[in-house]
Structures are given as C-alpha cells and as structure tokens.
Amino acid sequence: MSDRAYNFSAGPAILPEPVIQQAQKDIWNIFDTGMGVCELSHRGKHYDRILEEAEADCREVGRIPDNFRVLFLQGGATLQTAMIPMSFLPAGRTADYFHTGKWATEAIAEARKFGKVHVCASTEKGVFNHIPSPAETNFSENAAYCHYVTNNTIYGTQWHNRYPDTSAPLIGDMSSDMYSRPIDWSKYAMVYASAQKNLGPSGQILAVINDDFLATAPEGKLAAMLDYQVQAKKQSRFNTPNTFAVYLMGQVFKWILKEFGTLEEVDRYNTEKANLIYDYLDNSDFYVGHAEPESRSLMNVAFRCQTPELDALFIKQSAEHNITTIKGHRSTGGMRASIYNAFPREGCEVLVKFMKSFERENG
Ligand code: PMP
C-alpha cells in the first residue's frame, strides 16, 4: 500500500506519482551526467534540453498556436496581477475585471495601483457562488483588456462552455484549471497560471501570450524582470531561472502526454471524478454545496455540513481514512476537495464512501 495520503490540498497540491519518482532520480543524477537537476548551469546544454523539451511538450499538450509565446516566469500569479496592468494598461485607458472571488479581488486591487479599473460584474453578494451571467455583466467602452479568473479556487466555481463576451483582449487567470481541459486560444490574448495546482511547484508561472498583444507592452521601461518583452527575448532566462521548477513542469507535461494524450481526455477524467462527488451532494440533504450547479468547478468542490461543529467532526474523522487537507477556506467554511489532474479517481471514491458513512452516523 502506498504511504501517500489522499491529498485534497488546494495548492501547493498533489503531483503525479510518476513525476515525483522521476524527480527523485533526477535530483541525484540527470541524463547520466553525474549531476543532479538542481546542479546544472542554466546556460549549459543540459538545461537547454530541459527548457526546450518543457516548452515543446507544453505546446503539444495545450495545442498552443505558433503566434503565442510561452514564458516560464517567477513570482506566482500574484506578480502577474501587477505585471499585467504595468504592461497593458496605459494611462487614459480602462481595464475590465470580473470580480468572482478572492483572487479576482486581489487582481483588481493590484491593477488599481497602476491604472483605471472597471468591475464589469461582481458576484460578491452571493458569496461568489456563481459565474456571472451576461445579464449581470456591463463592459466598459474600448477596454484595454478584460481580466477574469477561469476557476475560482476558494469558492469552487468555474466558467464552462462560455467566455466573457468582450471585444477587448481577454486575459485568463487559469491558476487552478490550466491544462485540466482544452483551451480555445482564439479567445485569448494571454493566459497565466501559478504552477502549484496542476503544473508543478509553487512560485512558478506559466504565461502564454499572443505575439500581437505582447508587442503592445512597453519595452525597456520597466524593471527588466517585470518586462514581458525582455523575458520573451531572453526565453525566460534573463536571470537565473528556477531551473528545478521548469524541469518539474516539463515532467508534468510529459506525464499528461503519456497518461492522457490529450486535454480532452484529461477533461473527461476530471469530469468523471467531480461528478462522483457532485452526484452524491445532489442526492443528500445533509451536505450543502457552495456553488450553483451550472457554475460548479471540476477542480475544487466546496461543500459543508449543516453546522460548523459537524464540519469540524467531518475533518477530524475523515483524517482516519487517509483524507487530508480538506478543510475549506475560512471565507466559505466547511470542506473543499481539490481534485486536480493528478488527484486519483480512487481518492474521490474514498471521499464519497466516507461522506456516506458520516451522513449515516450524523444525519
Ligand atoms: N489566482 C488563483 C486562481 C489562485 O488560486 C491563486 C492561488 N491559490 C492565485 C491566483 C495566487 O497565486 P500565487 O500564490 O502563486 O501568487
């Protein structure tokens, strides 16, 4: 039996087991060089190979068109929320932001330091329990760009089968659902994701930017590390990058290709896993799901019992079944099962089984 837990953490989150096993070996000796992956020069041929393969596999997984740049940056999604307005929100223009949760709130606060922000829709009133409908949305005229969070990690809501109906360049924070399903690049000017949910270790960013949009960023005016043009020209190697993070993301892309082949398959698997839990929630009067059904996230399932005392008991007793890190965020309370790509179906089955027995005993 594996000594690993059913880790429902929202992030940093579970990584694919074959990736961790490979990393264990490569930390010791990679490519038979007698050197570990963290001990290679970032300008040497071995790291060249790691970076080239990571980008090529990233493109293959995402079917990223040639006119998009792939950047491996640092500072997490949080730094992107500053770099984006610094680069793409010129004086006199307005950027539209969807206010759909905590990370959207943070992005708005950061953007306001650099320029004019218009909140085109907010679901705060319903404790961010749904994705705004077109009727709830009011775009500004001629926005510099429109920013939205495709999956709201804390509240467990996700955009499905539709996009913000804006004519402005669209920017998606995909931190918690990047590569969990196919991406229609024709809709986007840019997407970015913190790695620590579906892609690799924390602190690392994958940013994918359309060339024409990238060309509108100022060049040579910002601190070099914050300058998308510099980062693109230097192929994400302006300074010493987090070589281990790039390596690990590369391994995750290889795992997706080997294990699933396509993002359609990843999506099918994730839908199956999430439905195991949602189907049970729908048939239970004991548990309450946070998100409205049509906005439910396939990545983060937020739910609670009828009282905070029962929630606490649920968390305590579920730990005896190897279920860990399932406590919800303080703003929603209850529980949150984060079931990213690497989370096994078996773990969802174990959770549902426990939910059933807990309901039987306490309902
Ligand atoms: N956006 C979303 C959707 C997130 O889930 C998170 C982290 N949980 C962030 C942004 C912030 O990411 P980081 O801490 O890596 O800066």
Side-chain angles (χ1 to χ4, degrees):
M1 197 180 139
S2 168
D3 58 355
R4 289 176 59 80
Y6 295 117
N7 177 4
F8 288 93
S9 170
I14 191 167
L15 283 162
E17 288 192 12
V19 169
I20 307 168
Q21 279 155 357
Q22 186 63 43
Q24 282 182 325
K25 292 186 189 133
D26 291 341
I27 282 180
W28 183 249
N29 182 351
I30 189 167
F31 307 146
D32 282 326
T33 56
M35 296 180 279
V37 58
C38 300
E39 303 166 291
L40 301 173
S41 163
H42 64 296
R43 309 265 175 223
K45 65 176 181 192
H46 303 302
Y47 184 69
D48 283 349
R49 174 174 165 191
I50 289 169
L51 180 61
E52 278 160 23
E53 285 186 16
E55 175 165 348
D57 291 336
C58 178
R59 287 185 172 279
E60 187 177 342
V61 171
R63 283 189 224 122
I64 299 174
D66 289 344
N67 63 331
F68 279 75
R69 283 304 183 99
V70 171
L71 300 180
F72 299 107
L73 305 174
Q74 290 174 60
T78 301
L79 187 55
Q80 292 305 298
T81 62
M83 280 174 71
I84 287 165
M86 286 165 95
S87 294
F88 300 117
L89 182 49
R93 301 284 301 276
T94 300
D96 285 349
Y97 276 74
F98 279 87
H99 184 220
T100 54
K102 175 173 156 45
W103 301 111
T105 306
E106 304 277 327
I108 290 165
E110 207 65 353
R112 282 198 166 125
K113 295 176 186 166
F114 301 100
K116 199 164 165 232
V117 167
H118 167 70
V119 174
C120 55
S122 174
T123 52
E124 188 171 17
K125 244 192 189 162
V127 198
F128 301 117
N129 67 348
H130 69 284
I131 295 302
S133 67
E136 286 172 280
T137 307
N138 158 32
F139 295 111
S140 64
E141 282 281 308
N142 191 27
Y145 62 83
C146 173
H147 178 280
Y148 81 126
V149 179
T150 55
N151 182 76
N152 296 284
T153 324
I154 291 173
Y155 305 92
T157 63
Q158 189 176 25
W159 288 74
H160 292 292
N161 305 320
R162 69 186 172 87
Y163 299 82
D165 188 19
T166 174
S167 51
L170 185 61
I171 300 180
D173 172 354
M174 292 193 179
S175 289
S176 48
D177 66 355
M178 184 97 191
Y179 285 177
S180 69
R181 56 184 180 179
I183 297 170
D184 180 353
W185 295 101
S186 71
K187 307 283 186 207
Y188 290 104
M190 170 175 179
V191 311
Y192 65 94
S194 272
Q196 69 266 24
K197 289 107 173 30
N198 267 328
L199 305 177
S202 59
Q204 185 67 22
I205 272 289
L206 173 64
V208 185
I209 314 181
N210 176 279
D211 284 337
D212 293 337
F213 189 61
L214 178 64
T216 66
E219 194 174 356
K221 297 219 166 67
L222 299 168
M225 284 297 284
L226 307 181
D227 187 324
Y228 286 114
Q229 305 257 17
V230 169
Q231 294 286 6
K233 286 206 170 95
K234 300 285 183 184
Q235 291 166 315
S236 314
R237 268 198 280 203
F238 173 72
N239 74 329
T240 317
N242 185 340
T243 55
F244 181 70
V246 173
Y247 156 83
L248 207 62
M249 288 172 88
Q251 292 298 317
V252 171
F253 301 141
K254 285 186 195 305
W255 172 78
I256 295 176
L257 291 170
K258 184 157 181 256
E259 185 74 20
F260 298 98
T262 63
L263 290 178
E264 282 77 3
E265 270 308 298
V266 177
D267 188 26
R268 196 195 51 70
Y269 183 60
N270 286 329
T271 306
E272 201 180 286
K273 288 188 300 182
N275 282 345
L276 283 173
I277 308 173
Y278 286 125
D279 286 349
Y280 184 64
L281 282 179
D282 282 342
N283 287 310
S284 163
D285 297 326
F286 181 76
Y287 299 101
V288 187
H290 182 73
E292 287 183 359
E294 69 281 5
S295 300
R296 284 169 167 173
S297 166
L298 300 183
M299 298 283 98
N300 313 94
V301 182
F303 64 98
R304 60 183 185 276
C305 302
Q306 306 287 343
T307 66
E309 291 72 27
L310 278 174
D311 290 339
L313 191 64
F314 183 102
I315 291 159
K316 185 161 172 268
Q317 292 187 353
S318 62
E320 290 156 23
H321 297 260
N322 208 18
I323 290 170
T324 182
T325 344
I326 199 164
K327 190 171 192 284
H329 190 267
R330 59 188 178 281
S331 53
T332 52
M335 279 68 68
R336 172 177 45 166
S338 297
I339 48 173
Y340 303 115
N341 293 350
F343 192 88
R345 186 195 151 100
E346 181 193 278
C348 297
E349 289 163 354
V350 167
L351 174 63
V352 170
K353 196 165 159 220
F354 175 75
M355 288 169 78
K356 275 184 196 160
S357 71
F358 189 79
E359 177 171 351
R360 231 180 289 120
E361 277 166 31
N362 299 282

